[in-house]
Each structure stands twice: as structure tokens, then as C-alpha cells.
Amino acid sequence: MEVKRIWTLLLLLFFFALCSTTSCLASNVTYDRRSLLINGQRKLLISAAIHYPRSVPAMWPGLVQTAKEGGVDVIETYVFWNGHEPSPGNYYFGGRYDLVKFVKIVQQAGMYLILRIGPFVAAEWNFGGIPVWLHYVPGTIFRTDNEPFKDHMKNFTALIVNLMKQEKLLAPQGGPIILAQIENEYGYYEGAYGEGGKRYAMWAASMAVSHNIGVPWIMCQQFDAPNSVINTCNSFYCDQFTPIFPDKPKIWTENWPGWFKTFGSPDPHRPAEDVAYSVARFFQKGGSVHNYYMYHGGTNFGRTAGGPFITTSYDYEAPIDEYGLPRLPKWGHLRELHRAIKLCEHVMLNSEAVNISLGPSLEADVFTDSSGACAAFLANVDDKNDRTVVFRNSSYHLPAWSVSILPDCKNVVFNTAKVGTPTSIVEMVAEKLQPSVRTPEKNSEALKWEVFVEKAGIWDKEDFVQTGFVDHINTTKDTTDYLWYTTSIFVEENEGFLIKESQPFLIVESKGHALHAFVNQKLQGTAYGNGTHSPFKFKKPVSLKAGKNEIALLSMTVGLQNAGSFYEWVGAGPTHVEIRGFNKGTVNLSNSTWIYKIGLQGEHLGIYRADGINKVNWVATSEPPKQQPLTWYKTEITPPPGKEPVGLDMIHMGKGLAWLNGEEIGRYWPRKSSIDDGCVKECDYRGKFMPNKCFTGCGEPTQRWYHVPRSWFKSSGNILVIFEEKGGDPSKITFSRRKVTGLCALVAEDQPSVGPESWEKEVSGSNKNVPFVHLQCPENTLVSAVKFASFGNPSGNCGSYTKGDCHDPNSISVIEKFCRNKNNCAIELSEENFSTSLCPGVTKKLAVEAICR
């Protein structure tokens, strides 16, 4: 019996060693007006959006762990209906859509999860996440009081809820899920549906609550949400948001730390200082649950991007970049913010804030509990001027548009405008594509390409013939991006443009999204819309011959509409075609007989997959043809060296699709933005952010590199397949390894510090209250050189620092002493290390740029 008791005790100890509060033990989740309560304990929660289909299962544990190390408590994700139910009643939960596996990884990390079921999600995702087939169920209208739509929505919601219950993933079952969401930002569009919209919103809330999942339901941007759910805020700033009902906590479901991109647009940037300011203001004003949308944006693999025109990259300038690397300084600055806020958690959640005016555009919110504990947030909301304020008989400097956090109402541990964490220098290191099999022969390292060229127009028996035009999307039902519209025209020998050797003009008006025009199998030109206006007009001179001429228009979608009132009815494709320049004037082809073919032959045969790759006659070549439209390229390659994330560099290609080993890399299109798109050299963090505030990359491709997850590579025999629509140079395609090659830091003497000892690193000096610079190279690399260092009044930015007239000449030697040949180091701005008496009256800074090898 004694042995049995010992074994029982050991088993119990083992069980509790595996458990955490979020992974094994049942939790009671309720709320009051101040916060969520988990097992009766108030919680101040910081959440991070990571969408499981926008990365791959091999990346999930690392992404979740990086979020946790960034001070995050909760992972949030949408549920993607069209990925899980690709056809009616046929469900898929494998690969990137293994929702259960993703939730369990979050659970194993000891974190909570917010499940936004929707099932409409918007999210720049194709068709807003609703399956395209549902649009063609007779009588269906999306997102209103419509029985077919509600029936399918109810069934899918029940499927997900029951799956979570079956896997015991809800908090009352010991799982990590503490909140669930129904619908998504419907308040923007409800009015367009009239009374049917109102009834639908109330029905959605009632339907969700009826599932009795044991955790609260939320509805974001639902301005008339019923009392049975919590209404929440989505915006760049939510400090002024107030829930509809006074018994509800203040929840921010989407704080956008960056923004999405569309092909042909410049890169939007939101500074780390402004993101931190928005978060600090939210908690200062009574917020309790905050979620970054996105914390890791990831990749729109395959044809999952919506928009239209949303890029394959969904990087979002999030704290974790598309490839899974922490984006510094944003990730580090927010980590320090989270630590500072958590120092105030108990007193904030258990007291009422007292607001104190400190002057124009200046205020303090002070939290004091019955034990005497005190925390304060001091804010300067002026977007131009720094201020010095007096609070509790002490003086504090507040930069413009910033918040200082004082967890004891005395000492500043964090200011949102003072970034003390390093900036990482990230490079895309090119690696030439290498053949899978090498031989001692000459030129053995040259890739062997195989080529298959599509016919322009009807590549097999036509799908149908019709007078006039059909809608592109209604015809393809999104089974492909491509639809051929073909017709013919007879040209008499006496036409003036033949005699004069001039060219008539082909005019095509289209609802969107893009088009390649062919005449007699030759590409004549391309036209397309953009992310703000899908319709476009094609007008180009074309070459016609005497006799019969075939006109073949390849119409293309670039992701379907993902939001808006009645968005499912937005169409695409040509609406008018004419040719100008005939002897008798303009020839209108719009009411001609048009022959239609859905998709491409290579697509139809699946020649990018192992089971379809031999269904066409590939032509082998050591030099693939350049600038040739409608061409499939195939080659066998080895993985790039190293362990760094990998991108496919398509700068020398035109537009098309790419696959590796049958996995969909996605659409590529190195379309350039305009040089006149309003880019800035430096972004001023001060003042309210909008997506067009801080553009960079004008005149450059919106997306050059395309993420190829490492887990998709085999040790050898990897098949890369490219479909090029309009012409490129595949011989110049390369892989690039995304690599952190250096670090920069710029820290001032007045930089507050939460406490460097928590980093578990050696700090040069003994005074833990002075500012410091911390450098940490990636794993298995060291600081190989110090490129720049100056203690004094240096200026500039990472990569372009310059010394000022105040400079400690020993700066580089000090940094080298503590950092050279080390993976990480920390250097205090103290008199033990630098001449702090230099330049009296000047607030000195330490600027460093180091190389990691």
C-alpha cells in the first residue's frame, strides 16, 4: 500500500508538472464592468492575433513562444470558414487548417485563447472567409435576415463549437478558450440591410449564446449589440471607447500595429512609439483586454488573399514579421510596455482611477487601492510639443504624444516615446537556385529547366459559347483566377491601317481585376485596376492581319471582395470591347459571339502537383525562354543552406503563381508603386496615425519576396513550378535567406528602465537604475564588429549614425570590450563606462551599430 501511495503521489506530481492554469485546470470565466474574471480573479490581458492558416504548423510553436516572450497572455485567431468547408458538407481540418492542433499548442504554452468564429471574418481574406459556393445556393443573401445564409452560418458555428467542446478546449473544460466572437464589424454595414440587418444581428447574438459554451461572447464594432454579449472596439485608438452596457468590461479586439498592402501600393508603417502610446492610453482609460491585430500577420498562401489586390504577404508590419522573426524595435518596445503595465495590474483592476489635469493636453490617471498601493499614467496628448509637468511634487518630462507609466506613482519605468530596445538590421541574403543532383560534368551547377507553354485562348473544347459577356466570378466560381473570353474579327485587305502599316486600337472596359490581351496568339498588352478601384480600361494599338483574326482576352481576378454591404454581388470581367481605326469607324465586339474557357490547361491538369506533373509534354532546356507569356517553368532544386526563413525573389518575373512540392506559395506580382505616392524619409510618430501617413517604397515593387516555409522543403528533389502570365526571366529567380546581420541601439541618459536584471544577462556595471544598451545577436551568431559607437550627442538613424560635437573617444573600445565575440551584452550609460561629465547640460546618448556573424 505504501508503494501504491508513492506511485499515486508521483503520478499526481507529474500531472501537475504538466499542467498550468490555462492548460489543465477548469476555469470559470465571468466579467464585471472592470475586467474579465478567471476563477474570480480580475485579469488584465494582452492578446496577440496569429492566424493559423497564414503560417504553417511547423511555425506555430515558435510564433506562440515568441509572443509569450513578448509579454503576451492570449493568442487570438479567426476561424476561416471557406478553408474548413471548401464544398457543402465537406470539411477539412488538416495542414494549415488544423485548428485543434493550433489551439492545443497555445494551451501547451500556458496561454489563453480568443476564438473569433465569425464566421464572416473580413481580414483581407478571400470572400471575407465565407465559402464562394454559398453565394450560389438559391435565394442566399449574405449577412442579413436570410434563411439560407443563417442556416449555413448556424451549422458551421455549431460545428466549430462542438469541435472545441469535443476536444475539451473551452476554459470550463480546462482548455485555453476564454472568449468567443460571433459576426465581425457588422455595425459598419447593418444600416444598408434595413430592418433585416437589425434582426440578423440580434439573431446572431442569440444563436451564439444558445450554445452555452461557458465563456462570454463578444461582438466587435456592433453598435447595437444586445446585453447578452460584450461589444468591443476595433481601431487605431480605443481609449475613448465605452461599452454599450455599464456592466461590461472595456475590450479592444483590434489594435492595428501596421497595415495591409495591395499590389502596386507603397509600404505603410506605423511607428512603435505610436502603437505603444495607443496601448498605454487604452489601459490608462480603463481598458482590460487588448488585442494586436496582427501580432504576426503571416502569408496569404495560394489564392487566399482577398481585397481584391491584397498582396501574398500579410506582414502587416506586425511585432513578429511574416517570416517569424521579432521585428525590432517594435516587438521589444511593446514587450517593455507590457511589463510596465503588468507592474500596475493589481492596483489598476482593484481601484477607481482619479483623473487629474496637469495643464492643457496634459493629464494623469491615478489608481490607489485600500492598501495604499499607487500607480499613475501621465499623458501628454499634444502632438507637437514636449512638456514638463509637476506630479506629486516631482517634475517629469513628457515628450509630445506620449505616456509615462509610474507603477509606484513616483518612478517612471516606461515612456511610450522613448525606445530603448535595439533595432535589428535584416537582410535578404540571395542564394542561387541549386540543382538537386550534381555531377562532375562541366556546368553541372546549371539548373535544368523544363517548359510548357499554354495556348492563348481555347486550349481544349470550349466550356460554352454566348453572345455578349458573362461575369467572370459567376462563371469561374473562384475555382481559378483565370477566364478566357475569345472571339474573332475578319479584316478586309483594303483597310487603311493595313495599307498605311498603322495599327488600330483595341479598347476593353472591365469591372476588374486584370487582363492580358492576345491577338493571333501574340500578347498585345496588359491592364489592371488597383486596391482602391478595381475597374479599368485597356487601350492599346494591336496588330491585325488581312482575313480572320482571333481576339483572346485572359481576364483575371486577384482575390475576391472581402467586406462591404452586399459585397458578394461585386463582379469582375470585361463589359465592353471595341476596335477603333477601321475604314467604317469603330467596330463594337461587345455583342459578338464569345467563346469561353475556364482556367488554364496546366491548372486543370494539376501539373504543379506530383500526381499531375507528367500530364503534359515538358520541353527540357538549360536556358529557359525569357519574356515569354503563358509559360510554365519547372525545375528540381536543393534547399537553400542554413536554417533562416526563406523567400523566393521574383523581381525579374512578371505576374503569376508559384508552387514548391505542390504547396501553394501564392500569387506573385512585383508590381511597382508610383513614385508620387507620398513617401516620407522619416516618420513622425506624433499625432494620429492613418495608413497613408508614413509610406515608404515609392517606385519600388510592393512585394519582391515570397515566403517559402522551411518545412515545405525536402532534403533533395524539390520541385519548383512557376506559371508566368506575361513574361519574365526565370534564370534570375533566387532564394533569399532572411537574416539578422546587425543591431543598432540609441539610448539616452533619461531613458527609463523597468529593470535590466530580468533579461538574465551580464550587465557592465552595478547600478541597476541607470539606462543601458542591450544587444543580442541571433542564435549561433556573435557580435563580430562594432561599426559605430558614440557616447555624447550623436544623430541620425540606424545605418546612418554620425558623431556630434560631444563625443567620448573611448566609445567604440567600451562597446568592443563588453560585446565583441559575444552573443549578447549590456552596457550601462554610467561613469564606470563613459565620460558622463562631458558636455555639461547636455542629455547624452549612446548610439551603437554592431555586426552579427
Side-chain angles (χ1 to χ4, degrees), residues 685-739:
Y685 76 88
R686 299 173 302 176
K688 288 200 171 183
F689 178 80
M690 291 298 289
N692 63 353
K693 180 180 180 180
C694 294
F695 280 148
T696 63
C698 289
E700 299 175 4
T702 305
Q703 185 174 357
R704 173 176 176 173
W705 289 278
Y706 297 80
H707 183 207
V708 186
R710 279 279 183 181
S711 61
W712 286 0
F713 287 95
K714 301 181 291 187
S715 58
S716 63
N718 297 279
I719 304 299
L720 178 66
V721 176
I722 307 291
F723 173 67
E724 171 57 48
E725 297 171 10
K726 62 179 184 174
D729 186 354
S731 68
K732 293 182 178 178
I733 295 174
T734 63
F735 282 126
S736 294
R737 292 183 291 143
R738 189 165 180 83
K739 192 171 184 178

Side-chain angles (χ1 to χ4, degrees), residues 33-36 43-45 238-241 243 249-252 279-290 341 345 348-349 367 377:
R33 66 182 182 84
R34 188 61 187 92
S35 73
L36 293 184
K43 290 288 185 180
L44 188 155
L45 297 171
C238 281
D239 48 287
Q240 299 304 310
F241 167 74
K250 184 170 176 174
I251 297 176
W252 192 355
V279 178
R281 288 288 287 166
F282 175 70
F283 285 110
Q284 176 181 356
K285 293 301 179 181
S288 60
V289 179
H290 167 275
I341 291 170
E345 178 177 13
M348 287 174 64
L349 294 180
F367 302 84
F377 288 66

Side-chain angles (χ1 to χ4, degrees), residues 51 294 408 565 619 789:
H51 293 164
M294 302 292 295
D408 58 357
S565 305
V619 177

